[in-house]
Every structure is written in structure tokens, then in C-alpha cells.
Amino acid sequence: MLDLIIRNGKIVDGTGNPWFYGDVGIADGKIAAVGRLDVEAGRIIDARKHVISPGFIDGHCHSDLMILDYPYSEIKLRQGVTTEVIGNCGLAPAPFVAERAEMLQTYVQPVLGSTKWKWPWGTVGEYMDHVAASRPSEHVATYVAHGALRIAAMGFANRPATSAELGHMKRLLEEGLQAGAIGFSIGLLYAPGSYTSKEELAELCRVLPKYGGIFSTHIRGEGNNLLPSVKEVIWIAEQSGVPLHISHLKAAGKRNWGQTLDALELIADARARGLDVTCDVYPYTAGSTMLTTVLPPWTLEGGIAGTLERFRDPALRKRIKQELGEEQTEWDNLVCSTGWQAVIVSSVRHPGHAALEGKSIAEISEERGQHPVDCVMDLLLEEDGQVSIVYFHMSDSDVDQVVGWEQSLIASDSLHCETGKPHPRLYGSFPRLFSRYVREKKTLSLEQAVRKVTSFPVQRFRLGKRGLIVPGYAADLTVFDPAAIRDTATYQEPRQYPEGISHVIVGGNLTLDAGVHTTAREGMLLRAGLCSCGSGSGHHPR
């Protein structure tokens, strides 16, 4: 007798092969049988007119703290997501050292969110243990994040690492990989990652091959410097002999639209000469990040405290205003080509500023009677540097190109935003893929779209025996109506759940039942090298 049978569904098994009608039987947390099943089960779900798919994998998101505050993970589960990959863009809450605690926390809070409790971990491994013990409703895997390593070793110093500092970072990276991190992420757009040379990064990446780790990167520039930035990370990967994954590939700023084709050609050329390179993309034309990202990189030296102090110096304010008004060669000044009307405040900390959420910097500066750059600096001062933004700087055609490319997978890049108006990708990325790019635009077939959010990311991030509907694999499954699945989250009203997803099974446990969370919390921390045995993978203390 099986625990559960999902009957009469259109099975899209994750391989990219054509769908077929059948049943999926589940026992002991694994897929027990696939086909026309004439056996009894403790529960039967009729999936007539629905797709049975492997559970979706969000291969790039920023739920590092949200998973601890909200372990039920309803925002992602109601999108069909059964696994999240965190620690991206060099941003993570570990390693966490007491002498630089505030520096790390103020660095990550606009992206990862703030907590009302003290962080109890120090090392990456201790953070991973804490996630495992929290018993989330979905599975979680993580990178070791370069920004956190550099802060632990040398703060926000704008200089090359010394031999001792580099050795310290390599030891911290190795500790995280030994604990089961899937690889190493960097965020070259963000200080202190932006202060790091390609040679220093190549030396750090040489730690990865011993553990089979992947090198994941938010590249240094996504606007005027897009192509040199892609070449830079390809060079790093070639020098260190590691697989490379480029995060949220895009061409930002109107003058750069169309360059995604050139970027994809660079990746294709690297693959042709034997380098293992892939990328991911989110299905929207707006990004989301922290407001400090628009500033010249030198202003961020010393962390948020140093940045705010510079805003109080009239001469430095004048310099910042001048640099943001001109195109730059050393860094991407996206507001110069896109404009302040494209930068939307999504979240602030001060309740008195709640009315600013959803407004552009252009609107806010006009209301205040200020120059937009003065407005940005004053707002950051008033908010202690903690302002999140949504940034409209991409073209539909570029996004379409990357979504449709064979070597791209789909990920949300979603930020935790407890208040305000988060980017709608937090609530809608995966249903949007199927409604917009399968049903409406027909950019992808149903089978191609499922592969991009199931077996492809599982293979890429070494997540074990999941991502396929195959006997013996983990019973992580999503059931949805292909004619009804759609995102409802908008930029104006982003906190809206999608439609068309009826059931989600995590490790054989029915976690979303007829669209309602069952309160099951059977997700696990997936550790690289320990996640080959289906639902029993990783460590899950009880």
C-alpha cells in the first residue's frame, strides 16, 4: 500500500521529454511508481486536467533570514517551489564575527531583511545547522558568500587582501564547503565585492574543485560594462578550473538593450571550448536591490556607517552628485541612462516614510524640492542606509531572449521585504513563467519550462535525487492547472498569491492541499555531497 497516489495527471517529468498521462505513487518520502497504478493508497488525489511536475527549484533567492522567521514558506510553496537556493550575490548572514557584527548586518538587511533577534551562529556551518533545526516547509541549500567572507576578514577596506587575509577567507570558504555548501557566490556589483580583483577571486575559487563546488556570480557590471564583466568571470572560472553560473543575466539601461545576445554568445563560445557555464534569469523587466547600489563604489568603503558619514561632508556630496550625473567607465552608472523615474522605493524602515513606498526617486525629490541625488543621500541618512528599491532598467525583448535560451534556468532573485511593496517576483515568478512564456508568448513549451525549474537547477546545484518524476527520487512534486496558472502580484499590489497551483508535496508530505498550507514542515537543509538519497538527503535534526 502506498502513502499517496496522484492519479490521471498529465505527467511532465522534468527531462524535457513530451508529457504523458499517468499516475504517480509515493511511499516513504520517495516516488515509488509511475504509470497506470492499480494499487491502494492512504490518500488519492485526482489530477485530471492538471500537470504533475517535479517541485520547482528557486535556484537564486535571498530567503536566508526569511526562512527562519517564516519557516512555513507559504510565499514560495504557493508558487510550487519545494527547494530554495540561498547565499547568493555574495550576501549571507554568515560567517558572523562579533567585532564586525553591525557592519555585516547593515550590509545584508536591505536584501535579506532584518531580524528582531540576535544571530546565534558564527560560522557558515553553524548557520546551516540553525536552518536545518528550524524545520522549514521546503528544502534549502546555500552557498558560501564572498561579501560575508571579506567583511569577516577585512571589513569594507577598498584594497587588495593581504596574504594573511586571503588565507583567512580561504579557510572560511573551506569550512563552509566542508559543512555542505554547494559552492561560492560573489557579488561584484556590491561593495566589498566590488573592491576585489579578478586575481584574488580566482585564488579563492581554487578552493572549490576539491569539493565539487560551483562558482556563482552577480557580475561587476550589467550596463555599459556588461560584456567586459562576463569576460571577467569567464576568465576567473578558466583560471581556477571551476563551473561558472552567472546570476540574473541582463542588459541594464536603454543604451545597452540588445547586448544580451552578445553576452549569450560569450557564454556559448566559452562552452564550445569546454568551460561549464550557465546562467539564470527572472521573468521581469525590473530588478530589485538596495538604494546604496546606485552610488559610486568608493562611497561604500567602511560599510554603511562610512557611507552615511560621507553624506554629511558638503564637498563629498558635491562629488557624488557630479559623478552620478555623468557616464562612468570604471563602474555602471545606470541612473545616468535610465533616469531617477525608474528607481522606485520599495521598502523603508521608518514608519513615517511609509508613504514613500511605491514612489520613484524622481517623484520624491520633486515633492521635497530637492535634486534627486540630494534626495537619495538624505533619505539614506534618515533611514540609516536601509532602503530597498525596484529598478526598471531592462527590455522585454532581452528578457525573452534569455528566458528562451537553452542554457538558462529560471529563478526569482526575490528579496525578503517584511514591509512596503516588494518586487512582485517574490510572489509570482514561477506561475508567471507558465502564464506569460508558455501560454501567452509561447517562448517555451510546457516541457521546456518545467525542465528549467526542475531537473536543470537540480543538476546544476548538485541537489541530489530530485527534480525528476522517476521511481526512487524524492517525492517533491507540484500539481497545477496549465490553463489557469498565473501570477497575480503586480508592482502596485505585489503581496498577492498566484492562481492555478493546487497541490505541493515536499519529501512525500502533502504540504499544500487544494491551495491550503497543511502546516507540514518536512523540508531539509540540503548539503552538497549528502543529498543523493532522495527525501532522506541532508541533515534534518528533530
Side-chain angles (χ1 to χ4, degrees), residues 336-456:
C336 192
S337 59
T338 308
W340 291 107
Q341 73 280 356
V343 182
I344 312 298
V345 172
S346 60
S347 178
V348 293
R349 297 179 67 189
H350 196 291
H353 288 151
L356 301 181
E357 294 168 340
K359 291 183 178 181
S360 70
I361 293 296
E363 290 176 290
I364 297 168
S365 62
E366 185 175 355
E367 290 174 1
R368 292 186 169 197
Q370 286 183 294
H371 188 281
V373 180
D374 286 319
C375 177
V376 166
M377 290 188 283
D378 286 349
L379 182 57
L380 286 168
L381 279 167
E382 294 159 14
E383 289 288 326
D384 296 323
Q386 307 300 302
V387 180
S388 301
I389 60 172
V390 169
Y391 199 174
F392 290 87
H393 55 191
M394 291 171 272
S395 73
D396 272 319
S397 60
D398 278 353
V399 175
D400 291 353
Q401 288 284 351
V402 186
V403 167
W405 197 54
E406 187 178 7
Q407 276 82 43
S408 73
L409 58 87
I410 310 300
S412 74
D413 191 21
S414 54
L415 282 60
H416 176 41
C417 192
E418 192 169 3
T419 62
K421 294 180 181 292
H423 193 300
R425 67 191 184 190
L426 175 61
Y427 282 77
S429 290
F430 295 89
R432 181 178 176 84
L433 172 68
F434 291 96
S435 63
R436 182 172 177 82
Y437 291 96
V438 175
R439 199 166 61 237
E440 296 171 13
K441 289 196 167 192
K442 296 180 172 54
T443 304
L444 299 168
S445 69
L446 175 64
E447 294 87 350
Q448 288 171 327
V450 167
R451 184 189 71 87
K452 281 177 175 282
V453 296
T454 58
S455 64
F456 184 1

Side-chain angles (χ1 to χ4, degrees), residues 506-524:
V506 179
N509 298 278
L510 193 57
T511 306
L512 197 74
D513 188 357
V516 177
H517 200 303
T518 65
T519 73
R521 288 168 59 179
E522 298 299 326
M524 293 177 296

